[in-house]
Amino acid sequence: MEDSVNVAIRVRPSSNVFEKSIAVSVVSNNPPVLHVTNKQLYSFDNIFSDNASQKEVYDAMVKPLVKKVLGGYNCTVFAYGQTGTGKTYTIGSNPKSDSEAGFIARACDELFSNREDYRDLAVSITFYEIYNEKVLDLLSHKKGHVPVKGFKVDGLETIQVHNQKEAAQLLAVGSLNRHTGETKQNRFSSRSHAVFTLTCVVKNENHETEAKLNLVDLAGSESVRRTGTEGSQFQEGVNINKGLFYIGRVINALTTNVAHVPYRQSMITTTLQDSLSKRNFITLVACVSPDLQDVQETIQTLEFAQGTKRVKNRPEVNNVILEYKKKNPTLFERPAPSSAVKVRPTPLKRQNQSMDCPNTPSFAKTPKVNHTWTPGVQTPPTLAALSVASSLGDGTIVLSSFSPIVKKCTEAVENKIMEKFPLLMKSYAPRCSAEIDEQQFSWQRLHAEVSQIVRNEFVQLTTERSRACSSPIQCSNVAKRLEFDDDDDAFVFKVPKKPPPKVAEKKATTRRSARLSKKVSPPPPTQQPPRRQSVRLISKNRTEVSPKPRRSSSKRPPIPTPRKTPSTQDAKHAHHAHILSVLNKGNEKELQKLPSVGAKTARQIFLYRQLHGPLDDIKDLAKMQSWIGNQYQRFLRSNFLQIDD
Ligand SMILES: Nc1ncnc2c1ncn2[C@@H]1O[C@H](COP(=O)(O)OP(=O)(O)OP(=O)(O)O)[C@@H](O)[C@H]1O
């Protein structure tokens, strides 16, 4: 399992006795190909048939992620699908017996059995559900929902566990608290999305990593007609479908790399914003029913899974660099609070005051970093300086959202500043005494000096790197925008706000306003021919009326001249051979270059070739079952292929 986004299909055992009513079958396991009655073939990273065991699915999809989490990568596993297809069963968020242990129990088992390899491993658990767009803590005895601030669920019960048994107990308690209900399609239908999170903190000699494994049991998509829900259950269904719809939108936005990802549109995408970002490993297990009566929902699930597979992530490790702390222990010491210290806290400083060292410059106090922040340990100032505020609305850019080249530069700048910072601090050291107050300290000077270092390094590095690439970055312009933001306690790149779009002059839209407006004077009827007047009539009346000037023929788009069918026999053979080689050797993108071959047909040709080997003749393509109507003939015609029967 190499990819950062992995997608598998799990087919649930059928509830039908008759073979005729089965719509889904696994055609091949290598490559994994699924066949659905609509004649379409689907391929994913893994396909598990109805007799696949829980262990088999876990080993292929989640086991590799446990290692990644211990290595500092955030990983998220989603179970998605129609109601009653086995999502809860697969994730194991409602365990019934040991033989049915799902992902959660197995992942906990694995974490604790690997313990010896990790000298210092701390595991904690949170378990919450999203019910009717509200977050409810499944491990808390408190009533009411948990508030969400920004993208963070604020105040979840986080419980540290030391062994598999403790983890299993928490899972059992949480699953009892979860909202379930009976519908026509599932006796124990989950009425909420459940998120079970294992947070692993691993400390090594030089660094510390903190990463999360989220195991998400999404509620099933449901049609009111089929589930027969009414009243409050109907409302639950509406909210479930809303959440699932926006997960789809978020995935779509990640696939197309658009600037705005609609995380805030639903509670599930808000709370999982972290996990649904490009910095994580994502695994999707799409559960489907093999039954003919569910084929519509099955196809929808398969299409969703295919969309997810198109997301390309670049996972990053979450770590704290402790080396700096080791080298400069005095900088990170917490002095005893002194009544003589007078530092006026900025709004953000006030928030973090309890754990801040009063002598630490303000930009060093920002725990707003992607890297893990341990209370009591000050983040190296440059890391804080470069991991900038997250609010995009005010024209601030998050550095990490730049292109990879800028990201690399950022890392390099961080390293350089790390070297220079002790020197800079030394020059300030005498003035950092407890009696000094803020005015004497001159925060502005310190900010200006560090800004200058960051700017210089940034310009130098981006110039070096952009020389190597074809599209150089206007690095000096970008660097000029670097400013210290007091509100966010960080260095930010300010982006000039776009001027508001000019409001077009309002046109009179109603007849009354048109009449009232003196400026509007309708053209005399003789000057313009009636719209529907035929060309013949216009030419008849040409003497009386001057018609609207027609577009000159030179401006008309040229009429495409049809490509000629190769005339000689040799040319015809060469053309056939060329198309055949594209069909046999082309990847999906190359196949799509052929006329009448879209993304879907290209995929079908690709899968057909994988299953049956290369085509001997173009007419073998007729055997592909996924052609609809006269699509095959259209393909032949538009590719100028003459096939003798
Ligand atoms: N692969 C499987 N093997 C054996 N039993 C399964 C399998 N998948 C599902 N089941 C059984 O099907 C029933 C429904 O499964 P489950 O409750 O997990 O569905 P769900 O997708 O979570 O439904 P909902 O969205 O309504 O909560 C359960 O009794 C479960 O044990």
Side-chain angles (χ1 to χ4, degrees):
M1 197 172 83
E2 300 267 305
D3 286 359
S4 51
V5 178
N6 272 279
V7 177
I9 303 297
R10 185 174 197 184
V11 185
R12 185 202 71 183
S14 169
S15 50
N16 287 318
V17 193
F18 305 108
E19 213 174 283
K20 263 190 175 175
S21 30
I22 301 291
V24 175
S25 58
V26 181
V27 182
S28 132
N29 277 320
N30 196 16
V33 178
L34 193 75
H35 179 259
V36 184
T37 358
N38 66 348
K39 295 180 188 167
Q40 295 278 333
L41 296 172
Y42 294 90
S43 167
F44 297 93
D45 297 308
N46 277 296
I47 296 177
F48 300 100
S49 58
D50 52 357
N51 54 13
S53 69
Q54 291 279 73
K55 183 175 180 323
E56 236 173 278
V57 184
Y58 170 81
D59 284 352
M61 304 309 294
V62 185
K63 197 174 178 162
L65 295 183
V66 175
K67 287 210 176 90
K68 298 267 180 235
V69 171
L70 291 172
Y73 291 95
N74 283 336
C75 303
T76 301
V77 182
F78 291 97
Y80 177 93
Q82 182 200 352
T83 179
T85 47
K87 297 177 298 294
T88 307
Y89 176 80
T90 303
I91 293 281
S93 54
N94 194 1
K96 285 175 195 156
S97 74
D98 282 348
S99 62
E100 288 183 336
F103 290 170
I104 295 180
R106 286 172 200 273
C108 293
D109 215 6
E110 183 113 12
L111 269 181
F112 290 109
S113 57
N114 271 333
R115 244 202 132 125
E116 303 86 63
D117 305 344
Y118 298 89
R119 204 163 49 88
D120 215 344
L121 165 69
V123 181
S124 53
I125 288 177
T126 58
F127 193 14
Y128 68 89
E129 68 174 346
I130 294 174
Y131 175 71
N132 276 345
E133 290 297 276
K134 293 256 167 16
V135 175
L136 304 177
D137 193 343
L138 295 173
L139 298 182
S140 170
H141 55 271
K142 286 182 208 153
K143 284 194 175 158
H145 68 270
V146 188
V148 175
K149 291 186 180 161
F151 290 111
K152 295 273 173 289
V153 185
D154 196 34
L156 274 184
E157 207 71 60
T158 307
I159 301 171
Q160 192 142 21
V161 285
H162 305 92
N163 51 47
Q164 158 67 6
K165 205 174 154 198
E166 285 177 10
Q169 274 170 357
L170 290 182
L171 172 61
V173 169
S175 59
L176 275 180
N177 289 336
R178 197 172 167 197
H179 281 87
T180 53
E182 187 174 346
T183 66
K184 274 189 198 169
Q185 288 192 296
N186 189 358
R187 266 188 67 206
F188 300 100
S189 177
S190 315
R191 311 307 297 156
S192 63
H193 308 295
V195 183
F196 186 94
T197 305
L198 287 157
T199 307
C200 304
V201 179
V202 182
K203 283 184 193 153
N204 287 332
E205 282 284 292
N206 295 328
H207 71 282
E208 174 183 321
T209 62
E210 180 185 301
K212 286 179 179 172
L213 175 62
N214 296 307
L215 296 148
V216 187
D217 174 16
L218 294 171
S221 52
E222 54 185 47
S223 107
V224 176
R225 183 176 51 82
R226 298 195 59 197
T227 48
T229 50
E230 291 171 345
S232 65
Q233 272 201 339
F234 171 79
Q235 192 50 42
E236 287 164 6
V238 170
N239 284 319
I240 290 170
N241 288 345
K242 176 184 169 188
L244 296 173
F245 172 74
Y246 281 109
I247 290 179
R249 292 280 302 271
V250 165
I251 299 271
N252 196 30
L254 292 176
T255 318
T256 47
N257 287 326
V258 292
H260 175 69
V261 183
Y263 288 116
R264 287 189 191 273
Q265 301 295 324
S266 73
M267 194 49 87
I268 184 79
T269 47
T270 304
T271 59
L272 290 179
Q273 184 254 2
D274 231 15
S275 320
L276 280 169
S277 80
K278 295 212 158 209
R279 287 173 304 163
N280 302 303
F281 282 93
I282 295 180
T283 289
L284 176 82
V285 180
C287 299
V288 296
S289 150
D291 300 335
L292 194 59
Q293 73 262 26
D294 297 322
V295 74
Q296 205 70 36
E297 285 88 349
T298 300
I299 291 170
Q300 271 170 16
T301 304
L302 295 174
E303 302 281 340
F304 176 85
Q306 275 195 335
T308 309
K309 188 60 204 167
R310 283 195 284 272
V311 178
K312 295 275 174 276
N313 277 9
R314 254 182 274 130
E316 288 169 15
V317 181
N318 291 337
N319 64 22
V320 178
I321 301 168
L322 295 182
E323 280 160 28
Y324 186 78
K325 183 193 158 197
K326 263 190 180 177
K327 282 185 199 161
N328 308 281
T330 48
L331 273 180
F332 295 93
E333 265 170 22
R334 271 220 258 178
S338 150
S339 55
V341 178
K342 265 201 233 163
V343 175
R344 182 173 51 82
T346 60
L348 230 137
K349 270 180 248 160
R350 252 175 262 139
Q351 256 181 36
N352 306 320
Q353 209 173 25
S354 56
M355 41 243 181
D356 282 345
C357 153
N359 289 344
T360 317
S362 62
F363 61 82
K365 295 176 187 172
T366 313
K368 267 189 179 185
V369 285
N370 294 335
H371 306 261
T372 325
W373 182 82
T374 323
V377 177
Q378 293 300 320
T379 314
T382 46
L383 286 184
L386 290 164
S387 309
V388 290
S390 60
S391 64
L392 287 158
D394 61 351
T396 305
I397 274 196
V398 179
L399 250 190
S400 55
S401 71
F402 273 125
S403 67
I405 165 182
V406 180
K407 259 186 175 178
K408 279 185 187 160
C409 291
T410 312
E411 279 164 28
V413 172
E414 281 184 6
N415 292 339
K416 285 259 169 118
I417 307 276
M418 294 260 269
E419 288 164 20
K420 290 187 181 175
F421 190 73
L423 272 178
L424 190 71
M425 281 311 289
K426 255 187 195 170
S427 75
Y428 276 91
R431 279 174 286 162
C432 279
S433 64
E435 288 84 39
I436 221 86
D437 75 11
E438 196 175 357
Q439 272 151 22
Q440 283 168 286
F441 188 80
S442 175
W443 296 98
Q444 272 96 349
R445 228 197 87 198
L446 184 59
H447 295 159
E449 280 182 35
V450 178
S451 298
Q452 196 50 48
I453 300 175
V454 177
R455 255 184 231 128
N456 291 347
E457 295 298 337
F458 186 80
V459 170
Q460 196 187 332
L461 280 153
T462 45
T463 317
E464 270 169 30
R465 295 202 185 242
S466 61
R467 245 182 241 138
C469 82
S470 52
S471 57
I473 304 166
Q474 293 295 320
C475 33
S476 52
N477 289 346
V478 178
K480 269 182 218 156
R481 296 191 207 128
L482 185 78
E483 282 171 27
F484 185 80
D485 190 326
D486 265 337
D487 288 341
D488 283 318
D489 260 10
F491 286 98
V492 293
F493 284 91
K494 292 277 177 187
V495 180
K497 275 186 187 170
K498 277 186 191 168
K502 276 186 187 172
V503 186
E505 223 176 83
K506 264 196 175 178
K507 281 184 185 172
T509 45
T510 59
R511 275 192 212 163
R512 186 162 174 267
S513 56
R515 252 186 282 126
L516 287 173
S517 158
K518 283 174 189 168
K519 282 179 195 169
V520 181
S521 54
T526 45
Q527 278 181 9
Q528 222 176 14
R531 262 194 158 188
R532 286 181 165 244
Q533 201 170 21
S534 72
V535 177
R536 207 157 24 92
L537 267 177
I538 293 172
S539 63
K540 249 188 183 180
N541 300 339
R542 198 167 280 165
T543 45
E544 305 140 40
V545 186
S546 61
K548 217 180 171 184
R550 293 177 68 182
R551 267 205 278 170
S552 71
S553 56
S554 62
K555 279 189 182 173
R556 274 200 201 165
I559 299 163
T561 46
R563 265 200 278 161
K564 278 185 186 168
T565 317
S567 53
T568 66
Q569 205 61 14
D570 285 350
K572 188 179 155 189
H573 279 146
H575 176 67
H576 272 231
H578 170 68
I579 302 277
L580 187 63
S581 90
V582 176
L583 290 171
N584 277 331
K585 292 180 190 156
N587 58 23
E588 282 179 54
K589 260 194 183 162
E590 285 158 353
L591 287 170
Q592 281 181 53
K593 287 180 188 160
L594 293 175
S596 288
V597 178
K600 276 192 179 169
T601 314
R603 179 119 201 93
Q604 295 300 318
I605 296 173
F606 184 78
L607 290 173
Y608 184 84
R609 213 172 66 195
Q610 297 252 313
L611 284 175
H612 302 281
L615 306 169
D616 295 327
D617 199 306
I618 291 176
K619 64 182 168 200
D620 290 350
L621 214 56
K623 293 177 198 157
M624 211 168 75
Q625 288 191 325
S626 58
W627 295 115
I628 301 166
N630 63 354
Q631 197 188 4
Y632 173 63
Q633 277 71 25
R634 209 159 4 107
F635 165 78
L636 294 181
R637 257 199 321 274
S638 44
N639 282 283
F640 300 99
L641 295 166
Q642 287 164 5
I643 303 287
D644 311 318
D645 292 326

